[in-house]
Amino acid sequence: HRLYACHDKILTHKRALFDHLTERWRTLFHAKYEVLLYDLTSTYFESDPPENSDGLRRFGYSRDKRSDCVQVVIALIVTPEGFPLAYEVLPGNTLDKSTLQDFLARIEEQYGKADRVWVMDRGIPTEETLTQMRASTPPVSYLVGTPKGKLTTLENDLLHREWKHARPKVRVKLLPKEGETYVLAESGDRILKERSMRRRRLRKYLDALNAITRRKRPLQRDAVHQAIGAAKKEAGRDARFVTVSVQHHLKEKGKNKGSDNGKDSGKQKNETATLTYKIDRQKLREARRREGRYLLRTNLTEEDPAKLWEYYLQLTEVEQAFKELKGDLSLRPIHHQLDHRIEAHIFISFLAYA
């Protein structure tokens, strides 16, 4: 209990400790803070939901696939070397895109304005935030992932652009557009990985559908839909490449000549179902053309494709930090219920990581 009571005192020193650490990293390891990697994760609580819904513990999108549990969201900034520069504990229902503006202001206030590059995954910055970053003085540089749907609108413009090699098995196209540069990157290794994963999931889905159609006795209607639903869940997004049609059949099981109000009410009907399916080869061809491709956008004037690709690959450092916090450092379980104790617990975990 005395150890837990210390949590009440340590949190007030959070900023001073991070200021000290950043200075020591600069002295000992020549750490630079020109490139900042930003991402979010969540951690859940195996406890009853709090009575007060205004606290940090709330239901939200769970990256741990535990949507049945309340959670908190953790936003983290690290350097390309993996040094944690800042983090924040946010309510569990916080949307990714609502977090960036506060962090931009916090970093500028704590470390001053500088020529920094922010590297983020898609879904974090909004269009409004990116516009503000470009319009600020000096402009705040960024490199951010873009949803693959955006590739459809830019496909014709990118078609006539020349491929440039960024590294072995990686090539990119650069498309300047409205004060930004779109970067289409294609990884040969990623193509092989995504294609293998898709083939495996699609084959399993087709086998499941085939097993339903080959049954000698038709399944009940609900059983057919449940089996299709289970197979779709296993296939994930790859289920969209197969068009499934379900036919319902009414079968009279028995007949009773008694009637109510002049109607035959003794007739009982048992509904069964069969299905047919077909691969949508057009959709599959479109997906194959986009395998292993990433669409990035940046306001950097850097024209070296290798440099831009290296920036984006550094996001794995944030993922590694989250992995170590949840794995080696055992961030969970968190038994605290008070918000300030939850924040202090996570702060201690970050100190251990640093």
Side-chain angles (χ1 to χ4, degrees):
H1 292 294
R2 289 189 176 182
L3 181 60
Y4 276 179
C6 292
H7 286 42
D8 299 336
K9 300 182 181 296
I10 193 172
L11 197 59
T12 58
H13 302 289
K14 175 181 171 182
R15 176 163 176 168
L17 279 167
F18 268 97
D19 286 342
H20 171 73
L21 287 172
T22 52
E23 187 57 39
R24 294 297 292 164
W25 293 329
R26 184 182 285 112
T27 302
L28 295 174
F29 307 110
H30 306 289
K32 297 180 179 179
Y33 306 117
E34 286 81 15
V35 179
L36 303 181
L37 316 175
Y38 181 62
D39 206 352
L40 299 97
T41 191
S42 58
T43 188
Y44 61 92
F45 299 76
E46 292 173 313
S47 61
D48 294 332
E51 295 181 4
N52 180 10
S53 59
D54 294 333
L56 290 173
R57 293 181 298 155
R58 303 188 196 182
F59 289 105
Y61 170 67
S62 175
R63 293 157 179 82
D64 301 307
K65 304 188 185 302
R66 289 301 305 266
S67 57
D68 57 318
C69 298
V70 290
Q71 64 175 16
V72 294
V73 170
I74 303 173
L76 173 64
I77 298 173
V78 301
T79 67
E81 297 80 20
F83 297 124
L85 194 62
Y87 80 93
E88 196 66 32
V89 181
L90 306 167
N93 62 349
T94 301
L95 298 176
D96 290 3
K97 62 184 181 182
S98 67
T99 63
L100 180 59
Q101 280 187 317
D102 288 342
F103 257 98
L104 289 171
R106 187 176 295 120
I107 291 298
E108 283 191 359
E109 187 225 339
Q110 189 166 356
Y111 300 106
K113 286 191 175 184
D115 187 14
R116 298 188 181 96
V117 180
W118 289 75
V119 184
M120 301 161 281
D121 216 341
R122 63 181 182 269
I124 292 179
T126 61
E127 286 294 332
E128 180 184 359
T129 303
L130 293 179
T131 301
Q132 290 176 358
M133 293 173 78
R134 292 193 297 271
S136 65
T137 306
V140 180
S141 301
Y142 59 81
L143 177 68
V144 58
T146 304
K148 285 192 175 181
K150 183 74 173 177
L151 185 55
T152 304
T153 61
L154 298 175
E155 206 159 25
N156 289 334
D157 294 332
L158 287 163
L159 187 62
H160 304 291
R161 290 279 165 174
E162 181 184 355
W163 286 107
K164 297 181 180 180
H165 287 278
R167 58 190 298 184
K169 297 186 180 181
V170 176
R171 56 181 188 166
V172 303
K173 288 183 177 184
L174 303 180
L175 175 65
K177 193 177 181 69
E178 299 175 356
E180 294 181 297
T181 299
Y182 286 89
V183 184
L184 177 62
E186 182 186 83
S187 167
D189 291 337
R190 189 70 188 180
I191 289 175
L192 296 176
K193 182 178 179 179
E194 289 184 7
R195 189 164 296 173
S196 174
M197 292 170 63
R198 175 172 289 123
R199 282 176 176 169
R200 185 171 63 253
R201 286 193 295 258
L202 199 53
R203 173 48 55 195
K204 190 174 181 179
Y205 184 43
L206 293 173
D207 288 344
L209 295 177
N210 190 45
I212 298 172
T213 61
R214 290 170 64 93
R215 288 181 62 91
K216 293 182 179 180
R217 297 181 61 183
L219 286 172
Q220 299 286 335
R221 181 198 62 183
D222 291 347
V224 169
H225 285 287
Q226 288 172 3
I228 294 173
K232 277 187 175 181
K233 185 177 180 181
E234 287 285 326
R237 289 175 52 84
D238 293 322
R240 71 186 190 275
F241 301 121
V242 182
T243 303
V244 179
S245 301
V246 180
Q247 299 82 38
H248 294 172
H249 310 282
L250 294 176
K251 179 182 177 182
E252 294 186 7
K253 292 188 70 177
K255 188 175 181 180
N256 190 335
K257 293 184 179 181
S259 63
D260 293 324
N261 299 325
K263 294 182 179 180
D264 186 2
S265 60
K267 187 180 292 184
Q268 297 179 351
K269 296 179 179 179
N270 183 29
E271 195 169 7
T272 61
T274 56
L275 67 86
T276 56
Y277 61 91
K278 181 182 178 181
I279 297 176
D280 190 331
R281 300 195 179 278
Q282 179 61 31
K283 275 188 181 180
L284 194 56
R285 280 193 291 268
E286 290 176 2
R288 283 174 64 90
R289 284 202 306 270
R290 297 182 181 182
E291 285 172 340
R293 292 187 173 185
Y294 305 81
L295 184 62
L296 315 175
R297 60 191 291 193
T298 180
N299 62 342
L300 288 165
T301 56
E302 176 66 61
E303 294 186 359
D304 182 1
K307 191 72 172 176
L308 295 172
W309 180 245
E310 288 297 331
Y311 277 152
Y312 192 68
L313 284 185
Q314 288 168 349
L315 273 180
T316 56
E317 289 294 338
V318 191
E319 297 168 3
Q320 183 62 30
F322 289 144
K323 183 178 179 181
E324 292 180 13
L325 281 167
K326 294 181 178 183
D328 297 341
L329 298 176
S330 299
L331 175 64
R332 292 191 54 258
I334 304 175
H335 297 293
H336 303 291
Q337 299 184 29
L338 300 176
D339 284 355
H340 68 280
R341 292 259 174 104
I342 293 170
E343 291 192 62
H345 175 100
I346 294 172
F347 179 39
I348 292 172
S349 297
F350 268 100
L351 288 178
Y353 171 74

